[in-house]
Amino acid sequence: MPPPIALSASSSSSSSFYLLTPPTSSSSQRIPKTPPFSANNRDRDTTLPLTATKTLRFSRRRSMACSAVSIEKETPEAQRPDTFLRESSSSSSVRARFEKMIRDAQDSVCKAIEAADGGGKFKEDVWSRPGGGGGISRVLQDGAVWEKAGVNVSVVYGVMPPEAYRAAKAASADLKPGPVPFFAAGISSVLHPNNPFAPTLHFNYRYFETDSPQDAPGAPRQWWFGGGTDLTPAYIFEEDVKHFHSVQKKTCDKFDPTFYPRFKKWCDDYFYIKHRGERRGLGGIFFDDLNDYDQEMLLSFATECANSVIPAYIPIIEKRKNTPFTDRQKAWQQLRRGRYVEFNLVYDRGTTFGLKTGGRIESILVSLPLTARWEYDHKPEEGSEEWKLLDACINPKEWI
């Protein structure tokens, strides 16, 4: 799931944004040590005077000490708050309207998923951060239709180290800002059906703001939108893929006719498993760091994209969820799930961001399926239905 939010994320990832606190400044210049690695040293002091670092060996411990940032842990909450925003936030701000949009989308998608499943119910966890913000994680597992379905939202404030900023914004490695204050909000979801003829879906929509880096006073505040929706089937039904892409194109065309071809290619390029030479699935739309249009237009566009998830996906599920299948077809689905795992853990910017900032691990990895499979040197027979899917992942097609 791409950066970002609890989501991928994902996009995506997929992934959440997590709140950080900057290192405390003091005259003694205390430097954080390596985080404890076992229960036996949890209570040890985690700082030492600057002069003491001279005695440390040139090791992983020392290299980590120079860039460590203390991380606020989540606090479980018994009830959902009306808003995760700070009291100073205006209800008419982009932040407030984006939060309302993603929470409404979470409610509507979860309702549609439960209705299609016919029995499964989402488990909900609400959490907050001491410094501000929080999130709502919802997961349905072992349902009649879905093996695992996660739909998460987060709205957080924080300060991220330079490496996390580069992961979030795909910034150049030679960019060396200090700790960057940020605000991030987003919805992220990955839906893994049981039936190998029913496709996996991922979607993620997020809004991000940064203030001036601490070593760049006076630098302008930045904001951007990101996200996308993409389809990952194990078997190709052309009418399903065309329906899905048609909904994405119709949504994009309401705002700019160049959006769909541009974001469709972006999606094909982003969800690329480099070490396999193939895409994760059959694409959709994806965009990131988008701020070169009017902010109100992009807010409306992100809203329309989130609202298009149900009409793009649920009709396909209803058509395929009860299709009979064999053990061989299930095994192929599990192999494709393995590809999904590889992309999310190795390449997804959202997952990378979450792991680098030490965020809520259940939210970061919610995109992973309950089950997957890796076979040594598996090659589908040329011309088979499995081969057709793999060929489409290696050679992206124009579906509409």
Side-chain angles (χ1 to χ4, degrees), residues 237-253 257 259-262 264 268 282-285 396-400:
F237 294 93
E238 287 209 14
E239 64 269 32
D240 294 352
V241 185
K242 288 179 178 179
H243 165 78
F244 176 80
H245 277 269
S246 293
V247 174
Q248 307 312 309
K249 184 179 186 302
K250 181 179 178 181
T251 299
C252 290
D253 286 351
F259 275 6
Y260 174 75
R262 176 184 170 192
K264 192 267 185 189
D268 289 337
L282 301 187
I285 59 170
K397 299 181 179 181
E398 298 300 326
W399 297 100
I400 54 174

Side-chain angles (χ1 to χ4, degrees), residues 62-304:
R62 183 169 184 179
S63 64
M64 290 180 67
C66 298
S67 61
V69 178
S70 59
I71 299 172
E72 291 186 329
K73 294 303 180 184
E74 305 84 3
T75 301
E77 301 290 346
Q79 294 183 329
R80 299 190 300 270
D82 291 335
T83 179
F84 288 105
L85 297 176
R86 292 172 174 164
E87 293 181 359
S88 59
S89 296
S90 165
S91 60
S92 62
S93 67
V94 173
R95 293 183 178 190
R97 286 181 289 152
F98 194 87
E99 182 195 25
K100 182 180 186 307
M101 183 276 281
I102 61 176
R103 292 183 64 171
D104 287 347
Q106 184 185 44
D107 289 343
S108 61
V109 169
C110 288
K111 183 178 178 181
I113 293 299
E114 289 184 346
D117 192 87
K121 297 295 181 183
F122 280 91
K123 176 184 183 295
E124 178 178 283
D125 291 317
V126 181
W127 48 272
S128 64
R129 292 282 187 172
I136 303 169
S137 299
R138 293 180 185 167
V139 178
L140 184 157
Q141 291 186 162
D142 293 318
V145 174
W146 276 277
E147 179 183 283
K148 185 179 181 185
V151 188
N152 299 340
V153 298
S154 62
V155 180
V156 297
Y157 301 81
V159 178
M160 58 181 158
E163 60 269 23
Y165 177 78
R166 289 193 292 269
K169 202 175 186 301
S172 170
D174 58 9
L175 180 65
K176 299 177 180 179
V180 180
F182 74 93
F183 166 85
I187 181 169
S188 184
S189 175
V190 178
L191 311 171
H192 292 292
N194 288 305
N195 196 305
F197 296 119
T200 286
L201 182 86
H202 158 258
F203 72 91
N204 171 283
Y205 293 99
R206 57 196 174 273
Y207 175 67
F208 205 105
E209 290 182 5
T210 62
D211 287 322
S212 304
Q214 290 187 359
D215 61 354
R221 169 178 292 183
Q222 296 184 349
W223 58 264
W224 63 89
F225 290 85
T229 305
D230 63 284
L231 197 69
T232 306
Y235 289 92
I236 296 178
F237 294 93
E238 287 209 14
E239 64 269 32
D240 294 352
V241 185
K242 288 179 178 179
H243 165 78
F244 176 80
H245 277 269
S246 293
V247 174
Q248 307 312 309
K249 184 179 186 302
K250 181 179 178 181
T251 299
C252 290
D253 286 351
K254 291 180 180 180
F255 296 87
D256 190 319
T258 68
F259 275 6
Y260 174 75
R262 176 184 170 192
F263 298 158
K264 192 267 185 189
K265 184 179 185 306
W266 202 338
C267 187
D268 289 337
D269 292 343
Y270 178 78
F271 293 105
Y272 180 64
I273 308 171
K274 296 176 185 177
H275 60 271
R276 297 279 187 183
E278 64 190 63
R279 275 76 189 166
R280 188 177 75 178
L282 301 187
I285 59 170
F286 178 82
F287 57 91
D288 211 358
D289 306 336
L290 202 62
N291 61 5
D292 51 351
Y293 297 84
D294 177 75
Q295 191 175 30
E296 290 293 328
M297 187 271 263
L298 291 178
L299 175 60
S300 297
F301 175 57
T303 302
E304 191 76 17

Side-chain angles (χ1 to χ4, degrees), residues 276 339 374-380:
R276 297 279 187 183
R339 300 293 199 266
W374 286 266
E375 288 184 20
Y376 181 74
D377 198 27
H378 181 275
K379 293 182 175 66

